[in-house]
Amino acid sequence: MRILVVGSGGREDALVWKLSQSPEVERIYCAPGNGGISERAEVVDAGAEDLEALADAAESKEIDLTVVGPESALAKGIVDLFEKRGLRIFGPSKAAARLESSKAFAKNLMKKYHIPTGQFAVFDDPQAARAYVRQLGAPIVVKADGLCGGKGTIVASTLSEALGAIDLLMEDRIFKQAGERIVVEERLAGEEVSVLVMTDGVTALPLLPAQDHKRLHDGDKGPNTGGMGAYAPAPVVDAATATQITEQIILPTIRALASEGLPFKGVLYAGLMLTSDGPKVLEYNVRFGDPEIQAILPLLKSDLVPILDDVVEGRLATTPCEWESGSCVCVVLASHGYPGDFAIGKEIRGLEPFADRRDLLVFHAGTKKDRERFVSWGGRVLNVIGLGVDFEQALKRAYDAIQTISFDGMCYRKDIGFRALKKPVSR
Ligand code: AMP
Ligand code: GLY
């Protein structure tokens, strides 16, 4: 079987790593890939949003299955295009991807089908939005309706912050039309968890629950990032909570989409807040979470290929899925300045000792191969994955390995998984 993975981050390196272990896979391609991926897969020179070029590549390379990483390609309709051209692809249609590409659509769907989420209202008019925010008061959450690369949500602690957010989105139009419409939402309190399930539109096959660390600094402080680390399985999701999430959120969402004539195939990712009033949806994503999937896939004992195939073929009900015991953590190594401006082209040293270790992996994100060496080529550069019998061991492996890796300006959080340990890691 020939597989094409679309994307260029740590998520895609993790997918390529897992898929290439399958006895069913004869060749693996990645478009556009990155430095590390170029060693595991054949890279294809097409951007993740260059849909026609991707479909041409899938045709000419006789790809049997394409797996999509980033939401932008799904929101642009890559699945619709591939299916029209008779190419097999894993992911939701453009219409079903609205679950992520329009927060107003997602919130209205939840309201209509009684799926637990925070109180909210949708606005196209800044005046009306301001009046509503004044009426409800802070704390309050203001969200751009459209895709903003993870930057469109403002959790405001004060009224002036919330009013400022409305100005930025609707008057200054910092995210262009993605912020023309906004959702104003009740702020929920609790622990956040990412629940990803495979679904063929009817059945849900849950992956291990995970937690990520979105903030830049230790203690979950500082600006939001694409994610500075993750771990799985999240101990906060016990068996009873997992059942509650499946029955009250995941299955109702899958059924709601089907009732709306938008059957969802692919991976459905529910970003949840575990509130004192039960789990509530903060947002949906229609793709694998990054970095979460980098901490989930190393624990997947089963072959991933039959699972993806069964999603695409709509026969997930009987698909076996086994997990390794133990814990997995992912620590992101980023460039100084990220998520703002940062320098690239810095030589990365010290990766050699980790090749072929089962308990330690390095997934590449913003890297490039420059002759025989790797250089940094993005904000998030590398992901160090530690596996262990428990979080303590997994974290020790990851953090010990990080001591030998270096590039100019390398930054990382020292406290990944602190909630799982119930105490900060002291190093
Ligand atoms: P989103 O853009 O919806 O993924 O939100 C980004 C982050 O903002 C989430 O991961 C939460 O940490 C936070 N957030 C979003 N919505 C809420 C809410 N209603 N209450 C509290 N925090 C929220
Ligand atoms: N880890 C957050 C995301 O993938 O959106």
Side-chain angles (χ1 to χ4, degrees):
M1 191 169 181
R2 291 162 169 250
I3 296 197
L4 170 65
V5 174
V6 175
S8 59
R11 165 179 53 205
E12 288 76 19
D13 197 12
L15 284 165
V16 166
W17 168 81
K18 179 67 186 169
L19 290 166
S20 58
Q21 290 166 32
S22 170
E24 295 193 35
V25 173
E26 160 209 342
R27 252 179 134 156
I28 187 146
Y29 297 86
C30 186
N34 60 37
I37 292 175
S38 72
E39 298 212 318
R40 298 191 211 272
E42 201 170 306
V43 295
V44 174
D45 186 18
E49 292 180 41
D50 197 351
L51 307 191
E52 293 288 348
L54 291 168
D56 291 345
E59 235 165 55
S60 69
K61 298 194 183 300
E62 299 177 3
I63 299 294
D64 300 295
L65 179 66
T66 297
V67 185
V68 186
E71 63 276 16
S72 52
L74 295 163
K76 276 187 133 180
I78 187 170
V79 171
D80 309 60
L81 175 72
F82 270 54
E83 286 180 349
K84 202 165 82 193
R85 289 177 59 169
L87 298 162
R88 286 176 83 242
I89 185 162
F90 173 91
S93 66
K94 180 177 180 175
R98 286 190 76 212
L99 202 59
E100 176 166 358
S101 64
S102 167
K103 294 200 190 287
F105 170 82
K107 293 294 286 190
N108 285 324
L109 188 88
M110 287 186 263
K111 188 173 172 188
K112 181 168 171 189
Y113 292 91
H114 309 290
I115 296 163
T117 189
Q119 294 294 323
F120 73 101
V122 178
F123 298 97
D124 294 302
D125 168 28
Q127 275 301 94
R130 286 186 200 102
Y132 182 77
V133 160
R134 284 203 181 89
Q135 188 195 329
L136 260 67
I140 198 156
V141 183
V142 177
K143 298 183 178 185
D145 177 51
L147 292 179
C148 303
K151 299 193 184 88
T153 292
I154 299 104
V155 181
S157 324
T158 63
L159 186 59
S160 72
E161 220 181 310
L163 293 169
I166 295 172
D167 282 347
L168 284 175
L169 295 175
M170 302 184 92
E171 307 281 8
D172 304 344
R173 295 171 50 90
I174 57 166
F175 296 119
K176 308 207 172 66
Q177 75 253 47
E180 270 174 4
R181 171 171 290 173
I182 63 165
V183 173
V184 179
E185 190 177 302
E186 163 194 13
R187 190 180 79 174
L188 299 172
E191 230 181 276
E192 268 188 75
V193 57
S194 304
V195 172
L196 282 69
V197 304
M198 299 283 188
T199 178
D200 57 4
V202 178
T203 303
L205 192 159
L207 306 184
L208 294 178
Q211 285 184 293
D212 72 350
H213 294 275
K214 290 197 171 79
R215 304 294 198 97
L216 182 65
H217 300 306
D218 285 11
D220 287 340
K221 304 248 165 36
N224 260 326
T225 69
M228 294 301 289
Y231 51 100
V236 70
V237 182
D238 56 23
T241 310
T243 305
Q244 199 182 6
I245 291 169
T246 303
E247 287 175 0
Q248 294 176 9
I249 292 172
I250 301 296
L251 291 173
T253 304
I254 292 168
R255 288 195 287 259
L257 285 162
S259 310
E260 296 290 311
L262 307 169
F264 188 103
K265 278 190 183 181
V267 59
L268 174 64
Y269 161 160
L272 306 174
M273 190 72 95
L274 303 180
T275 74
S276 54
D277 205 17
K280 294 189 181 182
V281 178
L282 292 174
E283 60 156 354
Y284 294 109
N285 296 313
V286 299
R287 52 170 173 82
F288 294 104
D290 193 4
E292 289 96 322
I293 199 62
Q294 301 184 57
I296 294 173
L297 284 182
L299 292 171
L300 178 61
K301 200 181 212 171
S302 302
D303 187 348
L304 181 59
V305 174
I307 299 176
L308 301 181
D309 262 341
D310 289 353
V311 166
V312 174
E313 298 305 325
R315 52 170 190 229
L316 199 57
T318 53
T319 308
C321 182
E322 278 186 82
W323 297 96
E324 306 281 358
S325 58
S327 308
C328 186
V329 304
C330 164
V331 182
V332 172
L333 306 182
S335 303
H336 177 71
Y338 172 78
D341 294 340
F342 50 82
I344 57 169
K346 305 293 179 192
E347 181 170 356
I348 301 167
R349 295 195 176 86
L351 291 177
E352 302 75 18
F354 314 117
D356 303 322
R357 288 238 340 230
R358 280 186 56 84
D359 54 1
L360 193 62
L361 297 157
V362 176
F363 293 134
H364 287 232
T367 72
K368 191 174 133 164
K369 193 117 191 249
D370 178 20
R371 290 176 300 260
E372 284 317 299
R373 49 180 212 152
F374 290 111
V375 296
S376 65
W377 211 250
R380 288 188 292 172
V381 178
L382 295 166
N383 306 271
V384 179
I385 314 299
L387 288 130
V389 290
D390 53 22
F391 281 110
E392 225 141 50
Q393 192 179 51
L395 284 163
K396 182 163 175 10
R397 285 197 174 127
Y399 279 111
D400 282 352
I402 289 170
Q403 302 315 311
T404 75
I405 301 173
S406 67
F407 55 89
D408 273 358
M410 181 174 108
C411 300
Y412 61 95
R413 275 182 60 164
K414 315 280 189 300
D415 67 342
I416 297 304
F418 73 84
R419 287 193 183 80
L421 289 173
K422 297 290 177 217
K423 57 179 171 41
V425 188
S426 50
R427 286 192 176 76

